[in-house]
Structure formats: C-alpha cells, structure tokens
Amino acid sequence: MSNPNVVLNADAANASLTVNSSQSGKIGILLGLPAGQAFTAGTKSLVTMTFNTAPTNAFNSPVTFGDVPLARGIANTNSDALTAIYLDGTVMFAQGFEADVAPRPTGNNNGTISISDVTQVGLFVVGLNTVDANFNEFQRADCAPRISLGDGQLTVADYTQAGRYGAALDTVNPAGGAPLQSLLEFDSDGKLAFPLSPFIPKSDSKNENLAPTVVRVVNVQSSPGQQVIVSIESDTQGTENGFGFTLDYDASKLSNPLVQKGTDTPTASLIPNTTQSGKIGVILAMPFGTAVSAGTKQILTIRFDVAANAPAGLSPLTFSDMPVIREVSDVNAGVLQSIFEDGNVDVLAPSSANISIGGKVLTANGRGIARAMMTITGSSGETRTTQTNPFGNYRFAGLDSGETYTLTVLHKSYQFTPSSQILTVFEDAPGINFIAVPEN
C-alpha cells in the first residue's frame, strides 16, 4: 500500500486536519474540532484514507495504530485526556472467485465451483462454520446478489447463487463486494431490528407482482412424554428455490429436534444447525435452477421429544434471525418478499382419553392361559380387575392419559416373574404380556 491520501468525513466536516505522511508505512493524523465544540454521542466517521495497492498474492494487509510520529490520544473540550481504546484493522484483498471457498481457507482459485464449494457456503450460512477473518472467505461466500457481488450478509440466497455457479447456470465472477459482514442490530428475541431489504433481479421483474411467500409453523397438539412432529409449510408462488430461517423453541418442554425434508421437497438439499439449545437454524434449497411448485407445500418437518413433566399449555415456536437470517430466494438467487408466521405445540393436560391397556397371559411355551386374574391400580389407589379369556387375552379401557398404573397377574396354577408391571400411559398399550414360569 502506498501514496496515502487522508480526507475528512461528514461527521468531522468542520474539524481541522493535519497529516504527516513523510515516513513510509506510517501516517500521523491530528484532528480537532473548533474550540469548545465536541462530537455528539454515537459512532462517528472521522476520516477516509485512500491508498494505491501493489499487485500481490496476499489476502490482507494489516492497518494498525502506533505512537510514531504521533502518539495516540483523545482530549475533551477542556484538553483533558480521555480513556480510549484503539482497534486495529486490515485491508482485505479480493483474491479468488465468488463462491470458491473449498478447500478452506483459500479455495481452489481456478474459476470452477464444485459441490464442495456449494456445501461449504451452506455451512457458513447456517452457522456451522465461521469464516476466517485472515482471508477473504466472507467476501467469496457472500456471492448474492450476483450483480453486486454480495450484499454484506450470508443468507440462503448465497447458497442458491453458489449452486448456480456450480451448475454452470452463471459464469463465475472474480471475488469482490463487501470484505466483511455488515453490522446488524438484533432485538432480545434474536430477530432483526431492521429487516434486510429484498433484492429483486432486474432480469426477473415479474417477481415484483407476486404475492409474498408465506412460511408458517403448522400448530399441533401433543402430550407429555410423547414425540411430536411439527410441519413447516409454505404458500408458494412457483418461483421459490431456497428457504432460510431460525426457529426458536422452549428447550425445557421440547428437545432432541430431528429436522427432515418435507413431503413436497424430497429432492431438496437440507443443512440444519441444531447445536444451540432452543434454536434450529435451517437452509433448504431445491436443485439449482428449479423451484417448488405453486400451492401450499410442506417443506420441512421437525420431530421433538415432549418432556414428561411439560406443563399443559401452548409452547411457542417462533421464527428469528440467529443463526440463520429469514429469507426466501428464487431460482435466480434473488430475494423474494416473504412472511414468516409463528406457531406452537399445544401440550395437553392429562385427562381421560379412553386409553386402553391390554395384552396376553401365556405359558412358557406360548399357550394362552385362561381365567388369570388381572388387577390394575392407579396412583391414587383405585383398583379394577378382569379375567383373561380362553385365549389368554385381557384389556382395561377408559384409562387416564399421563396416569401411572400398576398391573398385576395372579393364577392358582401358574407363577409369574415378574408378576406386576408399572407403566405411565399416554396412548393405547396393547402389548403388555405376562409369561408364566416354566413348569418342572
């Protein structure tokens, strides 16, 4: 880097500026507002430095603070020294090609995008891998919109665009665009305070007239101790290729999420991130160049375990933007207008659900034992009895969901080990069998 030029920025437009660039590799900068004036609180842009850069194979060049020829210091309007922290930075050089990120950290640098590159972009987008700040990995992974060589964020559109490069649908561009991720503001729920502005390709202006794509959680009921499958569906317009989002859940009630492709997206590529308790990051994309057909489509399912002690009531499932930003991309890697609708799992209170318990009482060689006395006792002590039929079958009906029962067998001619079983029921249990001890 050479020939530095320093100019004042808008926030310091009325300041005086003195620059010492007489030493190679060093710039001394003295900046002062008129007497009695101070900068207002907030992040302010002070100066811009412009350099010429030499041809290089390096990925970055450090820009660091020092004390020669001018010592670091900040003063207030009374010339009192203020406590300050100076953070170094780098100039990132645009080496390589857009979406060329495998092998890490430099890519192949041959102008060809492979499935390994596409997958690696997906791992960056979903948050399973972090870009290396010492190389321009972010700049290469952030490849959508193609026209601007990225937009300063990693989203599902970048995954779609990487796939288009890999499928030779688009000619690969040399790396460019934002070298680092743009700063975003999130609220306490992990949602973007200011949603990203959607990008609609000029070559596909018909997208502007389409209704927003709706992505929703389908509400579902379950009971404590059971598994529940939650569907994510989308009202699609027939142009959607990729979906990215984060789904938040209550980890004290729901656990062990298993993310799978939906019935309408069997050919899609899916990369889930379930490493953070209470959060699921997802990117899902159809084969590159193809779209989900129009209509209401199941794009994803998530299976949860419901805690045995989960209290009755609604357990929210809400969309957010950390680690994966909510976004829907079309087949051209353009961002579509979209609406994400939250949902819930309704955990039911234990109640009479006409649940039944049944099974067989058998000899050691598998023959049914008739007229065995069966007794079932609830946790509060209530007792019911029945006898097995000539084939050894028995059944108790009208039991309470979530209740714990003790089931006991007795017969004058047979012994059983064990002779009782304890079980908590949430659904019909038709296979609770007892086997007699072999006769001598």
Side-chain angles (χ1 to χ4, degrees), residues 347-426:
V347 181
L348 302 176
S351 62
S352 179
N354 200 29
I355 287 175
S356 65
I357 292 176
K360 291 186 175 184
V361 178
L362 304 167
T363 64
N365 59 11
R367 180 171 54 86
I369 299 175
R371 305 186 69 179
M373 183 64 67
M374 305 299 300
T375 303
I376 190 167
T377 305
S379 59
S380 60
E382 72 279 8
T383 298
R384 295 163 58 183
T385 60
T386 190
Q387 287 187 340
T388 57
N389 67 13
F391 303 100
N393 297 317
Y394 75 93
R395 182 173 178 268
F396 291 99
L399 303 179
D400 291 335
S401 175
E403 178 65 276
T404 299
Y405 293 95
T406 301
L407 190 61
T408 304
V409 61
L410 180 66
H411 195 280
K412 62 182 180 181
S413 301
Y414 296 94
Q415 299 295 319
F416 300 87
T417 303
S419 61
S420 63
Q421 298 186 44
I422 299 174
L423 62 156
T424 301
V425 295
F426 294 100

Coordinates of all heavy atoms in Angstrom, one line a residue, residues 347-426:
V347 N -49.5 -28.5 24.4 CA -49.3 -29.6 25.3 C -50.5 -29.8 26.1 O -51.0 -28.9 26.8 CB -48.1 -29.4 26.2 CG1 -47.9 -30.6 27.1 CG2 -46.8 -29.1 25.4
L348 N -51.2 -31.0 25.9 CA -52.4 -31.3 26.5 C -52.3 -31.7 28.0 O -51.3 -32.4 28.3 CB -53.2 -32.4 25.8 CG -53.4 -32.1 24.3 CD1 -54.0 -33.3 23.6 CD2 -54.3 -30.9 24.1
A349 N -53.2 -31.3 28.8 CA -53.2 -31.8 30.2 C -53.6 -33.2 30.3 O -54.5 -33.7 29.5 CB -54.2 -30.9 31.0
P350 N -53.1 -34.0 31.3 CA -53.5 -35.4 31.4 C -55.0 -35.4 31.7 O -55.6 -34.7 32.5 CB -52.8 -35.8 32.7 CG -51.6 -35.0 32.7 CD -52.0 -33.6 32.2
S351 N -55.8 -36.2 30.9 CA -57.2 -36.3 31.1 C -57.7 -37.6 30.5 O -56.9 -38.3 29.9 CB -57.9 -35.2 30.3 OG -57.6 -35.3 28.9
S352 N -58.9 -38.0 30.9 CA -59.4 -39.3 30.4 C -59.5 -39.2 28.9 O -60.2 -38.3 28.3 CB -60.8 -39.5 31.0 OG -61.4 -40.7 30.5
A353 N -58.9 -40.1 28.3 CA -58.9 -40.2 26.8 C -59.3 -41.6 26.3 O -59.0 -41.9 25.2 CB -57.5 -39.8 26.3
N354 N -59.9 -42.3 27.2 CA -60.3 -43.7 26.9 C -59.2 -44.5 26.4 O -59.3 -45.3 25.4 CB -61.4 -43.7 25.8 CG -62.2 -45.0 25.8 OD1 -62.3 -45.7 26.8 ND2 -62.7 -45.4 24.6
I355 N -58.0 -44.3 27.0 CA -56.8 -45.1 26.7 C -57.0 -46.5 27.2 O -57.6 -46.7 28.3 CB -55.6 -44.4 27.3 CG1 -55.2 -43.2 26.5 CG2 -54.4 -45.4 27.3 CD1 -54.1 -42.4 27.0
S356 N -56.5 -47.5 26.5 CA -56.6 -48.9 26.9 C -55.3 -49.5 27.1 O -54.3 -49.2 26.4 CB -57.5 -49.7 25.9 OG -56.8 -49.8 24.7
I357 N -55.2 -50.5 28.0 CA -54.1 -51.4 28.2 C -54.5 -52.8 28.0 O -55.6 -53.2 28.5 CB -53.5 -51.2 29.6 CG1 -52.8 -49.8 29.8 CG2 -52.4 -52.2 29.9 CD1 -52.3 -49.5 31.1
G358 N -53.8 -53.6 27.3 CA -54.1 -54.9 27.1 C -52.9 -55.8 26.7 O -51.8 -55.3 26.6
G359 N -53.2 -57.1 26.6 CA -52.1 -58.0 26.2 C -52.5 -59.4 26.4 O -53.7 -59.8 26.4
K360 N -51.5 -60.3 26.7 CA -51.8 -61.7 26.8 C -51.1 -62.2 28.1 O -50.0 -61.7 28.4 CB -51.3 -62.5 25.6 CG -52.2 -62.2 24.3 CD -51.7 -63.1 23.2 CE -52.7 -63.0 22.0 NZ -52.3 -63.9 20.9
V361 N -51.7 -63.3 28.6 CA -51.0 -64.1 29.7 C -50.7 -65.4 29.1 O -51.7 -66.1 28.6 CB -51.9 -64.2 30.9 CG1 -51.2 -65.0 32.0 CG2 -52.2 -62.8 31.5
L362 N -49.5 -65.8 29.1 CA -49.0 -67.0 28.3 C -48.2 -68.0 29.1 O -47.6 -67.6 30.1 CB -48.2 -66.6 27.1 CG -48.8 -65.6 26.1 CD1 -47.7 -65.0 25.2 CD2 -49.9 -66.2 25.3
T363 N -48.3 -69.2 28.7 CA -47.4 -70.2 29.3 C -46.0 -70.0 28.8 O -45.8 -69.2 27.8 CB -47.8 -71.6 29.0 OG1 -47.8 -71.9 27.6 CG2 -49.3 -71.9 29.5
A364 N -45.0 -70.7 29.3 CA -43.6 -70.6 28.8 C -43.5 -71.0 27.4 O -42.6 -70.5 26.7 CB -42.7 -71.4 29.7
N365 N -44.4 -71.9 26.9 CA -44.3 -72.3 25.5 C -45.3 -71.6 24.6 O -45.5 -72.0 23.5 CB -44.5 -73.8 25.4 CG -45.9 -74.3 25.9 OD1 -46.7 -73.4 26.2 ND2 -46.1 -75.6 26.1
G366 N -45.8 -70.4 25.1 CA -46.6 -69.5 24.3 C -48.1 -69.8 24.2 O -48.8 -69.2 23.4
R367 N -48.6 -70.7 25.0 CA -50.1 -71.0 25.0 C -50.8 -70.1 25.9 O -50.3 -69.7 27.0 CB -50.3 -72.5 25.4 CG -51.8 -72.9 25.4 CD -51.9 -74.4 25.7 NE -51.2 -74.8 26.9 CZ -51.7 -74.8 28.1 NH1 -52.9 -74.4 28.3 NH2 -51.0 -75.2 29.1
G368 N -52.0 -69.6 25.5 CA -52.7 -68.6 26.3 C -53.3 -69.3 27.5 O -53.7 -70.4 27.5
I369 N -53.3 -68.5 28.7 CA -53.8 -69.0 29.9 C -55.1 -68.3 30.2 O -55.2 -67.1 30.3 CB -52.8 -68.7 31.1 CG1 -51.4 -69.4 30.8 CG2 -53.3 -69.1 32.4 CD1 -50.3 -69.0 31.8
A370 N -56.1 -69.1 30.3 CA -57.5 -68.6 30.6 C -57.7 -68.3 32.1 O -57.1 -68.9 32.9 CB -58.5 -69.6 30.1
R371 N -58.6 -67.4 32.4 CA -59.1 -67.1 33.7 C -57.9 -66.7 34.7 O -58.0 -67.0 35.9 CB -59.8 -68.3 34.3 CG -61.0 -68.8 33.4 CD -61.8 -69.8 34.0 NE -62.6 -69.3 35.2 CZ -63.4 -70.0 35.9 NH1 -63.6 -71.3 35.6 NH2 -64.1 -69.5 36.9
A372 N -56.9 -66.1 34.1 CA -55.9 -65.4 35.0 C -56.5 -64.1 35.5 O -57.2 -63.4 34.8 CB -54.6 -65.1 34.3
M373 N -56.3 -63.8 36.8 CA -56.9 -62.6 37.4 C -55.9 -61.5 37.2 O -54.8 -61.5 37.6 CB -57.1 -62.8 38.9 CG -57.8 -61.6 39.6 SD -59.4 -61.3 39.0 CE -60.3 -62.8 39.6
M374 N -56.5 -60.4 36.5 CA -55.7 -59.2 36.2 C -56.2 -58.1 37.0 O -57.4 -57.8 37.1 CB -55.8 -58.9 34.7 CG -55.4 -60.0 33.8 SD -53.6 -60.5 34.0 CE -52.8 -59.0 33.6
T375 N -55.3 -57.4 37.7 CA -55.6 -56.2 38.5 C -54.8 -55.0 38.1 O -53.6 -55.1 37.9 CB -55.3 -56.5 40.0 OG1 -56.0 -57.7 40.4 CG2 -55.7 -55.3 40.9
I376 N -55.5 -53.9 37.9 CA -54.8 -52.6 37.6 C -55.1 -51.6 38.7 O -56.3 -51.4 39.1 CB -55.3 -52.1 36.2 CG1 -54.4 -50.9 35.8 CG2 -56.7 -51.7 36.2 CD1 -54.5 -50.5 34.3
T377 N -54.1 -50.9 39.2 CA -54.2 -50.0 40.3 C -53.6 -48.7 39.9 O -52.5 -48.6 39.5 CB -53.5 -50.5 41.6 OG1 -54.0 -51.8 41.9 CG2 -53.7 -49.6 42.7
G378 N -54.4 -47.6 40.1 CA -53.9 -46.2 39.8 C -53.1 -45.6 40.9 O -53.0 -46.2 42.0
S379 N -52.5 -44.5 40.6 CA -51.6 -43.9 41.6 C -52.4 -43.4 42.9 O -51.8 -43.3 43.9 CB -50.9 -42.7 41.0 OG -51.9 -41.7 40.5
S380 N -53.7 -43.2 42.7 CA -54.4 -42.8 43.9 C -55.0 -44.0 44.7 O -55.8 -43.8 45.6 CB -55.6 -41.8 43.5 OG -56.4 -42.5 42.6
G381 N -54.8 -45.2 44.2 CA -55.2 -46.4 44.9 C -56.4 -47.1 44.3 O -56.8 -48.2 44.8
E382 N -57.1 -46.5 43.4 CA -58.3 -47.1 42.8 C -57.9 -48.4 42.0 O -56.9 -48.4 41.4 CB -59.1 -46.2 41.9 CG -58.4 -45.8 40.5 CD -57.3 -44.8 40.6 OE1 -57.0 -44.4 41.7 OE2 -56.9 -44.4 39.5
T383 N -58.8 -49.4 42.1 CA -58.4 -50.7 41.6 C -59.5 -51.3 40.7 O -60.7 -51.1 41.0 CB -58.2 -51.7 42.8 OG1 -57.1 -51.3 43.5 CG2 -57.8 -53.1 42.2
R384 N -59.1 -51.9 39.6 CA -60.1 -52.6 38.7 C -59.5 -54.0 38.4 O -58.3 -54.2 38.4 CB -60.3 -51.8 37.4 CG -60.9 -50.5 37.6 CD -60.8 -49.6 36.4 NE -61.3 -50.2 35.2 CZ -61.2 -49.6 34.0 NH1 -60.6 -48.4 33.9 NH2 -61.7 -50.2 32.9
T385 N -60.4 -55.0 38.2 CA -60.0 -56.3 37.9 C -60.7 -56.9 36.7 O -61.8 -56.4 36.4 CB -60.2 -57.3 39.1 OG1 -61.6 -57.3 39.4 CG2 -59.4 -56.8 40.3
T386 N -60.1 -57.9 36.1 CA -60.7 -58.6 35.0 C -60.0 -59.9 34.9 O -59.0 -60.2 35.5 CB -60.6 -57.8 33.6 OG1 -61.5 -58.5 32.7 CG2 -59.2 -57.8 33.1
Q387 N -60.6 -60.9 34.1 CA -60.0 -62.2 33.8 C -59.7 -62.3 32.4 O -60.3 -61.7 31.5 CB -61.0 -63.3 34.2 CG -61.1 -63.5 35.7 CD -61.9 -64.7 36.1 OE1 -62.7 -65.2 35.3 NE2 -61.8 -65.2 37.3
T388 N -58.6 -63.1 32.1 CA -58.3 -63.4 30.7 C -59.3 -64.3 30.1 O -59.9 -65.1 30.8 CB -56.9 -64.0 30.6 OG1 -56.9 -65.2 31.4 CG2 -55.8 -63.1 31.1
N389 N -59.5 -64.2 28.8 CA -60.4 -65.0 28.1 C -59.8 -66.4 27.7 O -58.6 -66.6 28.1 CB -60.9 -64.3 26.8 CG -59.8 -64.1 25.8 OD1 -58.8 -64.7 25.8 ND2 -60.1 -63.3 24.8
P390 N -60.5 -67.3 27.1 CA -59.9 -68.6 26.8 C -58.6 -68.6 26.0 O -57.8 -69.6 26.0 CB -61.0 -69.3 26.0 CG -62.2 -68.7 26.5 CD -61.9 -67.2 26.7
F391 N -58.3 -67.5 25.3 CA -57.0 -67.4 24.6 C -56.0 -66.6 25.4 O -54.9 -66.4 24.8 CB -57.3 -66.7 23.3 CG -58.3 -67.3 22.4 CD1 -59.6 -66.8 22.4 CD2 -58.0 -68.5 21.7 CE1 -60.6 -67.4 21.6 CE2 -59.0 -69.1 20.9 CZ -60.3 -68.6 20.9
G392 N -56.2 -66.3 26.6 CA -55.3 -65.6 27.4 C -55.2 -64.1 27.3 O -54.4 -63.4 27.8
N393 N -56.2 -63.5 26.6 CA -56.2 -62.1 26.3 C -56.9 -61.3 27.4 O -57.9 -61.8 28.1 CB -57.0 -61.8 25.0 CG -56.3 -62.4 23.8 OD1 -55.1 -62.3 23.7 ND2 -57.0 -63.0 22.9
Y394 N -56.5 -60.1 27.7 CA -57.2 -59.2 28.7 C -57.1 -57.8 28.1 O -56.3 -57.4 27.3 CB -56.5 -59.3 30.0 CG -55.2 -58.6 30.1 CD1 -55.1 -57.2 30.5 CD2 -54.0 -59.2 29.7 CE1 -53.9 -56.6 30.6 CE2 -52.8 -58.5 29.7 CZ -52.7 -57.2 30.2 OH -51.6 -56.5 30.2
R395 N -57.9 -56.9 28.7 CA -58.0 -55.5 28.3 C -58.6 -54.6 29.4 O -59.7 -55.0 29.9 CB -58.7 -55.3 27.0 CG -58.7 -53.9 26.4 CD -59.3 -53.9 25.0 NE -59.4 -52.5 24.5 CZ -60.5 -51.7 24.6 NH1 -61.6 -52.2 25.3 NH2 -60.5 -50.5 24.1
F396 N -58.0 -53.5 29.7 CA -58.6 -52.4 30.5 C -58.8 -51.2 29.7 O -57.8 -50.7 29.0 CB -57.7 -52.1 31.7 CG -57.6 -53.2 32.7 CD1 -56.5 -54.1 32.7 CD2 -58.6 -53.4 33.7 CE1 -56.4 -55.1 33.7 CE2 -58.5 -54.4 34.6 CZ -57.4 -55.3 34.6
A397 N -60.0 -50.6 29.6 CA -60.2 -49.4 28.8 C -60.6 -48.2 29.8 O -60.8 -48.4 31.0 CB -61.4 -49.7 27.9
G398 N -60.7 -47.0 29.2 CA -61.1 -45.9 29.9 C -60.1 -45.4 30.9 O -60.4 -44.8 31.9
L399 N -58.8 -45.5 30.6 CA -57.7 -45.1 31.5 C -57.4 -43.7 31.2 O -57.6 -43.1 30.1 CB -56.5 -46.0 31.3 CG -56.8 -47.5 31.5 CD1 -55.5 -48.3 31.3 CD2 -57.3 -47.8 32.9
D400 N -56.7 -43.0 32.1 CA -56.4 -41.6 32.0 C -55.0 -41.4 31.4 O -54.0 -42.1 31.8 CB -56.4 -40.9 33.4 CG -57.8 -40.8 34.0 OD1 -58.7 -40.8 33.2 OD2 -57.9 -40.7 35.2
S401 N -54.9 -40.5 30.4 CA -53.6 -40.1 29.8 C -52.7 -39.5 30.9 O -53.1 -38.6 31.6 CB -53.8 -39.2 28.6 OG -52.6 -38.7 28.1
G402 N -51.5 -39.9 30.9 CA -50.5 -39.4 31.8 C -50.5 -40.0 33.2 O -49.7 -39.7 34.1
E403 N -51.4 -40.9 33.4 CA -51.5 -41.6 34.7 C -50.6 -42.8 34.8 O -50.2 -43.4 33.8 CB -53.0 -42.1 34.9 CG -53.2 -42.8 36.2 CD -53.0 -42.0 37.5 OE1 -51.9 -41.9 37.9 OE2 -54.0 -41.4 38.0
T404 N -50.1 -43.1 36.0 CA -49.2 -44.2 36.2 C -50.0 -45.4 36.9 O -50.7 -45.1 37.9 CB -48.0 -43.9 37.2 OG1 -47.3 -42.8 36.5 CG2 -47.1 -45.1 37.4
Y405 N -49.9 -46.6 36.3 CA -50.7 -47.7 36.8 C -49.7 -48.9 37.1 O -48.7 -49.0 36.5 CB -51.7 -48.2 35.7 CG -52.8 -47.2 35.4 CD1 -52.6 -46.3 34.4 CD2 -53.9 -47.1 36.2 CE1 -53.6 -45.4 34.1 CE2 -54.9 -46.2 35.9 CZ -54.8 -45.3 34.9 OH -55.8 -44.4 34.6
T406 N -50.2 -49.7 38.1 CA -49.5 -51.0 38.4 C -50.4 -52.1 38.0 O -51.6 -52.2 38.3 CB -49.3 -51.1 39.9 OG1 -48.5 -50.0 40.3 CG2 -48.6 -52.4 40.2
L407 N -49.9 -53.0 37.1 CA -50.6 -54.1 36.5 C -50.1 -55.4 37.1 O -48.9 -55.6 37.1 CB -50.5 -54.0 35.0 CG -51.3 -54.9 34.1 CD1 -52.8 -54.6 34.3 CD2 -50.9 -54.8 32.7
T408 N -51.0 -56.2 37.7 CA -50.6 -57.4 38.4 C -51.4 -58.6 37.8 O -52.6 -58.5 37.5 CB -50.9 -57.3 39.9 OG1 -50.2 -56.1 40.4 CG2 -50.4 -58.5 40.6
V409 N -50.8 -59.8 37.7 CA -51.4 -61.0 37.3 C -51.3 -62.1 38.4 O -50.3 -62.1 39.2 CB -50.7 -61.5 36.0 CG1 -49.2 -61.9 36.2 CG2 -51.4 -62.8 35.5
L410 N -52.4 -62.9 38.5 CA -52.5 -63.9 39.5 C -53.2 -65.1 38.9 O -54.3 -65.0 38.3 CB -53.2 -63.4 40.8 CG -53.3 -64.4 41.9 CD1 -51.9 -64.8 42.5 CD2 -54.2 -63.8 43.0
H411 N -52.7 -66.3 39.1 CA -53.4 -67.6 38.7 C -53.0 -68.7 39.7 O -51.9 -68.8 40.1 CB -53.0 -67.9 37.3 CG -53.9 -68.9 36.6 ND1 -53.8 -70.3 36.9 CD2 -54.9 -68.8 35.7 CE1 -54.7 -70.9 36.2 NE2 -55.4 -70.0 35.5
K412 N -54.0 -69.5 40.0 CA -53.8 -70.5 41.0 C -52.9 -71.6 40.5 O -52.3 -72.3 41.4 CB -55.2 -71.2 41.4 CG -55.9 -71.9 40.3 CD -57.2 -72.4 40.8 CE -58.0 -73.1 39.7 NZ -59.3 -73.7 40.2
S413 N -52.7 -71.8 39.2 CA -51.9 -72.9 38.7 C -50.5 -72.4 38.2 O -49.7 -73.3 37.8 CB -52.6 -73.7 37.6 OG -53.8 -74.2 38.1
Y414 N -50.3 -71.1 38.1 CA -49.1 -70.6 37.5 C -48.4 -69.6 38.3 O -49.1 -68.8 39.1 CB -49.3 -70.1 36.1 CG -49.8 -71.1 35.1 CD1 -51.2 -71.3 34.9 CD2 -48.9 -71.9 34.3 CE1 -51.7 -72.2 34.0 CE2 -49.4 -72.8 33.4 CZ -50.8 -73.0 33.2 OH -51.2 -73.9 32.3
Q415 N -47.1 -69.5 38.2 CA -46.3 -68.4 38.9 C -45.7 -67.5 37.8 O -45.4 -68.0 36.7 CB -45.2 -69.0 39.7 CG -45.7 -69.9 40.9 CD -46.5 -69.1 41.9 OE1 -46.1 -67.9 42.2 NE2 -47.6 -69.7 42.3
F416 N -45.6 -66.2 38.1 CA -45.1 -65.3 37.1 C -43.9 -64.4 37.7 O -44.0 -64.0 38.8 CB -46.2 -64.3 36.6 CG -47.4 -65.0 36.0 CD1 -48.4 -65.5 36.8 CD2 -47.4 -65.3 34.6 CE1 -49.5 -66.2 36.2 CE2 -48.5 -65.9 34.1 CZ -49.5 -66.4 34.9
T417 N -42.9 -64.3 36.9 CA -41.8 -63.4 37.3 C -41.4 -62.5 36.1 O -40.9 -63.0 35.1 CB -40.5 -64.3 37.7 OG1 -40.9 -65.1 38.8 CG2 -39.4 -63.4 38.2
P418 N -41.7 -61.2 36.2 CA -42.4 -60.6 37.3 C -43.9 -60.8 37.2 O -44.4 -61.1 36.2 CB -42.0 -59.1 37.1 CG -41.9 -59.0 35.6 CD -41.3 -60.3 35.1
S419 N -44.5 -60.6 38.4 CA -46.0 -60.7 38.4 C -46.7 -59.4 38.3 O -47.9 -59.4 38.3 CB -46.4 -61.4 39.7 OG -46.0 -60.7 40.9
S420 N -45.9 -58.3 38.2 CA -46.5 -57.0 38.1 C -45.6 -56.1 37.3 O -44.4 -56.3 37.2 CB -46.8 -56.3 39.5 OG -45.6 -56.1 40.2
Q421 N -46.2 -55.1 36.6 CA -45.5 -54.1 35.8 C -46.1 -52.7 36.1 O -47.3 -52.6 36.3 CB -45.7 -54.4 34.3 CG -45.1 -55.7 33.9 CD -45.1 -55.9 32.4 OE1 -44.8 -55.0 31.6 NE2 -45.5 -57.1 31.9
I422 N -45.2 -51.7 36.2 CA -45.6 -50.3 36.4 C -45.4 -49.6 35.1 O -44.3 -49.7 34.5 CB -44.8 -49.7 37.5 CG1 -45.0 -50.5 38.8 CG2 -45.1 -48.2 37.7 CD1 -44.1 -50.0 40.0
L423 N -46.4 -48.8 34.7 CA -46.3 -48.1 33.4 C -47.1 -46.8 33.5 O -48.1 -46.7 34.1 CB -46.7 -48.9 32.2 CG -48.1 -49.5 32.1 CD1 -48.4 -49.8 30.7 CD2 -48.2 -50.8 32.9
T424 N -46.5 -45.8 32.8 CA -47.3 -44.5 32.6 C -47.8 -44.4 31.2 O -47.0 -44.6 30.3 CB -46.3 -43.3 32.9 OG1 -45.8 -43.4 34.3 CG2 -47.1 -42.0 32.8
V425 N -49.1 -44.2 31.1 CA -49.7 -44.3 29.7 C -50.0 -42.9 29.2 O -50.5 -42.0 29.9 CB -50.9 -45.2 29.8 CG1 -50.6 -46.6 30.2 CG2 -52.0 -44.6 30.7
F426 N -49.7 -42.7 27.9 CA -50.1 -41.6 27.1 C -50.9 -42.0 25.9 O -51.5 -41.1 25.2 CB -48.9 -40.7 26.7 CG -48.2 -40.1 27.9 CD1 -47.0 -40.7 28.3 CD2 -48.6 -39.0 28.5 CE1 -46.3 -40.2 29.4 CE2 -48.0 -38.5 29.6 CZ -46.8 -39.0 30.0

